[in-house]
């Protein structure tokens, strides 16, 4: 059984994905949110058991997902888990910025804990969630569940903020690139719809090309850029801009902000 403490936006996205991927059946999922309205909504839309007593659901759970916000009463959540759950159950926290050490203080020693930074591409099956395990947790306990909403990358906890600012924020950089690229087509004179379709197809095709050939981007650029041609002229202009360094500064800023938020 998988029990969610807190059934907000992220918990809902995870539930929707694991049900769609058949990683879990609706009978295996319980949810207890503070809000009755939220519980009713989840029961109605996903047919999971979201009108359960926290204590009863915790007794049955093999996986306990903490899906509340960092500013919510985590100490009470920890006490509940401590008092009612089985020692063998693994606690999966998706609470941003809350370290395994803090979670241990709330839940108690000797408990299996997985700290997860869920990716936000849950409905696609793509994108990595970052996972750090404490010494009592094993990959086999969480792997199947976590694979239900994307791919899983196990990382040392010291790398979690980097993983967040670079990896989990990753789609944002790509969304912005696609928008800027489609705008470039419009600026040059193509209709918006055609620019948009070309931009999407190019991004997907370029990723596929890299995967299929196993080549480095520079090798593919060398093939595409003939002497004095279109490609090398375009690249020269891009090199003159702040493109690479700007993107890299943006990632570093996101990592720094992740750390700041965790310390607040
Ligand atoms: N959204 C994302 O993209 C994302 C990405 C990565 C990580 N996260 C993490 O995921 C967690 C949830 O985020 P979210 O966006 O899903 O927030 P959210 O929609 O506000 O969900 C949190 C839910 O938990 C409920 N709650 C609060 N305290 C509770 C308690 N003691 N027992 C039971 N339920 C309780 C809240 O109810 P009330 O509203 O009535 O208080 C709310 O429905 C956060 O810690 C966040 O850091 C989110």
């Amino acid at each position: 059984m998988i029990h969610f403490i807190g059934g907000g936006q992220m918990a809902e996205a995870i539930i929707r994905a694991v049900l769609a991927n058949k990683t879990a059946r609706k009978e295996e999922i319980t949810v207890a949110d503070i809000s009755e309205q939220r519980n009713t909504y989840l029961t109605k839309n996903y047919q999971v058991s979201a009108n359960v007593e926290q204590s009863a659901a915790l007794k049955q759970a093999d996986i306990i997902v903490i899906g509340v916000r960092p500013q919510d009463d985590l100490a009470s959540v920890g006490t509940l888990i401590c008092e009612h759950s089985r020692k063998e159950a693994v606690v999966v926290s998706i609470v941003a910025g809350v370290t395994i050490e803090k979670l241990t203080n709330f839940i108690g020693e000797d408990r299996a804990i997985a700290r997860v930074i869920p990716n936000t591409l849950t409905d696609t099956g793509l994108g990595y969630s970052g996972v750090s395990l404490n010494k009592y947790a094993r990959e086999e306990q969480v792997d199947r569940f976590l694979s239900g909403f994307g791919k899983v990358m196990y990382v040392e906890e010291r790398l979690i903020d980097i993983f967040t600012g670079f990896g989990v924020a990753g789609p944002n950089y790509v969304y912005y690139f696609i928008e800027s690229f489609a705008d470039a087509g419009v600026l040059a004179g193509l209709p918006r719809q055609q620019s948009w379709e070309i931009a999407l197809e190019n991004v997907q095709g370029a990723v596929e090309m890299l995967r299929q050939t196993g080549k480095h981007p520079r090798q593919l650029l060398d093939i595409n850029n003939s002497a004095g041609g279109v490609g090398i002229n375009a690249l020269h202009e891009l090199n003159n801009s702040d493109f690479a360094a700007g993107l890299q500064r943006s990632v570093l800023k996101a990592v720094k902000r992740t750390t700041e938020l965790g310390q607040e």
Side-chain angles (χ1 to χ4, degrees), residues 95-241:
V95 189
V98 178
T99 59
I100 290 178
E101 190 184 352
K102 273 193 218 159
L103 291 164
T104 305
N105 290 339
F106 292 134
I107 299 165
E109 288 288 341
D110 307 354
R111 297 290 308 243
I113 297 174
R115 180 180 170 197
V116 178
I117 307 296
N119 86 86
T120 58
L121 301 168
T122 42
D123 289 320
T124 68
L126 299 170
Y128 281 106
S129 297
V131 184
S132 294
L133 304 176
N134 75 349
K135 64 177 174 185
Y136 302 105
R138 286 170 289 110
E139 290 183 11
E140 309 88 82
Q141 286 178 290
V142 290
D143 215 49
R144 187 172 150 73
F145 167 63
L146 298 176
S147 303
F149 53 96
K151 298 182 175 169
V152 183
M153 194 172 278
Y154 293 94
V155 289
E156 287 177 46
E157 194 178 20
R158 69 183 176 84
L159 300 177
I160 276 277
D161 288 355
I162 301 175
F163 191 93
T164 306
F166 170 65
V168 175
N172 298 339
Y173 309 115
V174 180
Y175 295 146
Y176 190 60
F177 171 82
I178 292 174
E179 185 197 14
S180 309
F181 187 51
D183 274 353
V186 176
L187 184 66
L190 269 188
R192 167 71 55 190
Q193 189 56 29
Q194 286 178 333
S195 294
W196 179 244
E197 293 298 337
I198 292 168
L200 285 185
E201 200 64 21
N202 273 331
V203 170
Q204 200 172 352
V207 170
E208 207 43 48
M209 195 74 177
L210 288 167
R211 286 204 196 283
Q212 278 184 22
T213 61
K215 286 188 161 54
H216 188 277
R218 181 59 56 182
Q219 290 173 287
L220 294 175
L221 283 169
D222 281 354
I223 294 168
N224 286 353
N225 293 339
S226 57
V230 173
I232 195 73
N233 271 281
L235 199 61
H236 174 69
E237 202 54 41
L238 211 49
N239 285 340
N240 265 337
S241 77

Side-chain angles (χ1 to χ4, degrees), residues 5-11 32-35 38 54 67-70 72-73 77 94-96 118 120:
I5 301 178
Q9 299 310 314
M10 200 63 224
D33 195 281
I34 272 186
S35 147
R38 200 62 202 156
Q54 204 75 270
V68 303
R69 288 160 303 212
D72 291 330
D73 188 355
V77 169
I94 62 166
V95 189
T120 58

Side-chain angles (χ1 to χ4, degrees), residues 29-105:
I29 296 179
T30 56
V31 189
D33 195 281
I34 272 186
S35 147
E36 272 316 306
Q37 210 185 347
R38 200 62 202 156
N39 289 329
T40 307
Y41 166 86
L42 292 169
T43 308
K44 186 164 170 276
N45 285 281
Y46 301 97
Q47 291 82 50
V48 295
S49 304
N51 286 316
V52 289
E53 275 296 315
Q54 204 75 270
S55 54
L58 280 169
K59 278 194 184 74
Q60 295 182 11
D62 306 296
I63 296 177
I64 299 159
V65 182
I66 306 182
V68 303
R69 288 160 303 212
Q71 65 271 29
D72 291 330
D73 188 355
L74 274 166
S76 307
V77 169
T79 307
L80 268 175
I81 294 174
C82 241
E83 285 179 0
H84 300 290
S85 70
R86 291 180 300 117
K87 273 249 158 165
E88 311 82 71
V90 57
V91 177
V92 172
S93 167
I94 62 166
V95 189
V98 178
T99 59
I100 290 178
E101 190 184 352
K102 273 193 218 159
L103 291 164
T104 305
N105 290 339

